[in-house]
């Protein structure tokens, strides 16, 4: 689990947005250096894609239509091959004048936008928004229904998730390196054709084709977590076509992978401190009733115990340090999971790891039959293409450990080693860290949560400052992302922007 890869959708909390995954972040070929940097005409080689007609059909979810859209597999050589992308929509219900399509993306990379819109957004977004927008989603290339990246079998993935990510010696470090190499080799074996073509830049270009095919002059969009990078990239490529864009739980595209991973490590520490401060006030807190720092030491002690001797879970897999850490991190995404986490930690300390394992399985999208969704595979494929790796090997990780452990005494060691997951990737990164300004774009609303674990608040401040038309909206609270999570102040500001086009005043704060 590499921190950068940790930006995905959480199945808990309104299917809200964001759970982490494992790898890197921003990227694809840097638009500022690309031959197709912001220009508003359609290249001749792409006109057939922009002119295609979608054949809509009824699909599983009531009220939704589904279709398949074609895009070039390789935008540099669009004549060679197509990629098929799954699209869904639920038409505006009225009353009120239809405002066009509202494309949504829950993050990841690797989160299924179709699952998100069908299970939550088109049902749970505020009624006035759903009344006036067609709610639309496309699974990005390589994700879920859109020619998914595949890497490992279920049993292989089980083994991968249990590898010790806090190696105590050269031998354990070697096993960790072997696991990263094996994961990468599995992706290369099963997904060779698509692996070089799942960058964020390519996904953003796909979104512009979809915009045109839907008949919209401009793209209206709500992106959460990694979806903010996708949306910002779209605005960079197509500033004149950027409509009302909400970037919630923002990423900072200017950061190299190592800095991004370290920042996210600090974000999880901030979230844990908030959980711990609440926990130690409760009689049932398994981490004691002292201070948050003391609770952190107790949790780290539990991780050490599980590293030495995993506990039973009622199934063939045992709960060791790696899976336990993942389970705790999963619960950091939303404060509504804190009660479940306290209970899971209590049971683990008593020798029963089933509840923490269940949290980890939710994070990894592992089904009861032992199969996995492709979230983690797509996450790695996109992240490792979007940015050069954080580390070149174990020696660099060891040198960086003090910085990571300073960022988080609880999670720092494990997340530092996890940041090596792109080191052995079979496809060279095509993206580079860079500022996104999107000059000429309409106002863009960037939302940051002060104690967000996965996308630290300072990233939102940074992105809002980079964007020429960025305006920062702050939620003073816990959890990952802010829209639709209970703050009337946040929801009213975003709804007003989506419905009327009026962004909140830059620097507006809500609680």
């Amino acid at each position: 689990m590499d921190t950068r890869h940790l930006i995905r959708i959480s199945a808990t909390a309104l299917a809200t947005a964001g759970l982490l995954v494992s790898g890197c972040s921003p990227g694809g070929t840097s638009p500022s250096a690309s031959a197709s940097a912001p220009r508003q005409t359609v290249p001749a080689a792409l006109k057939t894609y922009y002119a295609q007609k979608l054949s809509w059909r009824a699909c599983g979810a009531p009220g939704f239509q589904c279709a398949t859209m074609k895009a070039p597999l390789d935008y540099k050589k669009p004549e060679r091959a197509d990629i098929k992308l799954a699209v869904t929509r639920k038409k505006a219900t009225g009353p009120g004048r239809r405002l066009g399509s509202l494309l949504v993306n829950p993050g990841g990379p690797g989160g299924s936008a179709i699952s998100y819109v069908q299970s939550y957004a088109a049902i749970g977004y505020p009624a006035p928004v759903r009344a006036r927008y067609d709610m639309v989603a496309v699974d990005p290339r390589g994700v879920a229904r859109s020619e998914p990246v595949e890497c490992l079998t279920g049993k292989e993935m089980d083994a991968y998730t249990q590898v010790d990510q806090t190696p105590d010696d050269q031998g354990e470090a070697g096993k960790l390196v072997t696991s990263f190499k094996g994961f990468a080799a599995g992706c290369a074996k099963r997904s060779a054709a698509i692996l070089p073509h799942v960058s964020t830049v390519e996904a953003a270009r796909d979104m512009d084709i979809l915009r045109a095919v839907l008949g919209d002059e401009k793209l209206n969009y709500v992106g959460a977590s990694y979806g903010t990078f996708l949306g910002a990239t779209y605005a960079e490529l197509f500033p004149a076509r950027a409509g009302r864009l909400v970037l919630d739980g923002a990423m900072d595209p200017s950061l190299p992978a190592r800095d991004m991973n370290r920042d996210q490590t600090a974000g999880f520490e901030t979230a844990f401190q908030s959980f711990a401060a609440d926990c130690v006030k409760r009689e049932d807190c398994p981490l004691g009733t002292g201070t948050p720092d003391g609770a952190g030491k107790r949790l780290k002690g539990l991780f050490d115990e599980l590293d030495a001797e995993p506990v039973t879970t009622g199934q063939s897999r045992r709960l060791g340090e790696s899976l336990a850490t993942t389970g705790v991190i999963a619960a950091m995404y939303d404060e509504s999971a804190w009660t479940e986490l306290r209970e899971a930690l209590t049971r683990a300390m008593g020798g029963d790891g089933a509840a923490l394992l269940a949290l980890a399985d939710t994070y990894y999208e592992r089904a009861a039959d032992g199969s996995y969704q492709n979230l983690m595979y797509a996450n790695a494929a996109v992240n490792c293409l979007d940015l050069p790796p954080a580390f070149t090997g174990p020696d660099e990780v060891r040198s960086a450990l003090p910085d990571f452990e300073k960022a988080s005494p609880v999670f720092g060691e494990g997340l530092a080693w996890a940041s090596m997951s792109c080191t052995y990737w079979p496809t060279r990164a095509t993206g580079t860290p860079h500022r996104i300004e999107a000059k000429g774009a309409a106002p863009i609303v960037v939302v940051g949560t002060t104690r967000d674990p996965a996308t630290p608040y300072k990233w939102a401040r940074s992105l809002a400052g980079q964007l020429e038309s960025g305006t920062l909206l702050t939620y003073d609270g816990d959890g990952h992302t802010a829209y639709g999570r209970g703050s009337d102040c946040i929801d009213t500001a975003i709804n007003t922007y989506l419905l009327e086009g009026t962004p909140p005043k830059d620097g507006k704060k809500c609680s």
Side-chain angles (χ1 to χ4, degrees), residues 26 78 224 285 296 423 459 492:
C285 180
T423 301
W459 290 359
T492 297

Side-chain angles (χ1 to χ4, degrees), residues 199-266:
S199 71
T200 297
V201 166
E202 290 163 307
R205 290 174 178 156
D206 295 341
M207 285 171 24
D208 195 57
I209 293 176
L210 178 59
R211 172 204 58 77
V213 169
L214 292 171
D216 293 325
E217 291 187 7
K218 294 193 174 186
L219 180 80
N220 301 309
Y221 175 82
V222 177
S225 196
Y226 160 80
T228 66
F229 177 59
L230 182 57
T233 300
Y234 180 88
E236 182 179 28
L237 287 165
F238 308 104
R241 296 175 188 159
R244 300 170 187 178
L245 270 57
V246 177
L247 309 180
D248 184 11
M251 292 177 61
D252 182 353
S254 71
L255 294 175
R258 189 179 307 186
D259 291 351
M260 183 168 288
N261 285 0
R262 187 179 60 245
D263 281 356
Q264 197 176 56
T265 298

Side-chain angles (χ1 to χ4, degrees), residues 35 46 49 76 118 180 191 290 304 322 340 367 397 407 447 465 501 506:
L46 300 180
Y49 294 103
K76 293 180 179 178
Q118 291 184 349
F180 287 141
S191 304
D304 291 342
S322 293
E340 183 180 359
V397 177
V447 189
D506 187 33

Side-chain angles (χ1 to χ4, degrees), residues 116-258:
Y116 176 70
V117 76
Q118 291 184 349
S119 65
Y120 170 66
I123 302 167
Y125 269 31
V129 174
R130 292 182 282 117
R132 300 184 63 188
Y133 282 101
D134 294 348
M135 300 296 294
V136 178
V138 55
D139 277 350
R141 50 178 58 211
V143 174
R145 299 165 178 83
S146 294
E147 301 197 22
V149 172
E150 298 293 348
C151 298
L152 304 179
T153 66
K155 288 184 178 180
E156 288 171 340
M157 188 64 181
D158 278 348
Y160 178 77
T161 63
Q162 295 178 73
V163 174
D164 185 358
Q165 292 203 353
T166 57
D168 299 317
D169 52 40
Q170 291 281 5
E172 289 187 352
K175 290 179 181 178
L176 182 58
V177 167
T178 298
S179 75
F180 287 141
K181 289 180 176 179
F183 186 98
C187 298
K189 177 182 178 181
R190 294 178 172 88
S191 304
I194 194 174
L195 219 55
H197 300 294
V198 292
S199 71
T200 297
V201 166
E202 290 163 307
R205 290 174 178 156
D206 295 341
M207 285 171 24
D208 195 57
I209 293 176
L210 178 59
R211 172 204 58 77
V213 169
L214 292 171
D216 293 325
E217 291 187 7
K218 294 193 174 186
L219 180 80
N220 301 309
Y221 175 82
V222 177
S225 196
Y226 160 80
T228 66
F229 177 59
L230 182 57
T233 300
Y234 180 88
E236 182 179 28
L237 287 165
F238 308 104
R241 296 175 188 159
R244 300 170 187 178
L245 270 57
V246 177
L247 309 180
D248 184 11
M251 292 177 61
D252 182 353
S254 71
L255 294 175
R258 189 179 307 186

Side-chain angles (χ1 to χ4, degrees), residues 269 272-281 285-305 345 349 409-410:
E269 180 67 23
F272 173 75
Q273 287 290 320
S274 190
F275 162 76
D278 175 79
C279 185
V280 297
K281 297 174 184 176
C285 180
L287 302 177
T289 56
T291 65
D293 285 344
K297 291 177 181 177
R298 181 68 187 92
L299 180 60
K300 190 65 169 65
L302 173 63
F303 289 161
D304 291 342
E305 292 169 10
L345 288 172
M349 290 175 177
V410 177

Side-chain angles (χ1 to χ4, degrees), residues 485-509:
R485 292 172 55 85
S487 169
D488 289 339
C489 175
I490 291 288
D491 291 355
T492 297
I494 293 176
N495 294 344
T496 299
Y497 170 65
L498 290 175
L499 295 173
E500 301 175 13
T502 304
K505 182 179 179 181
D506 187 33
K508 180 178 177 63
K509 294 184 179 180

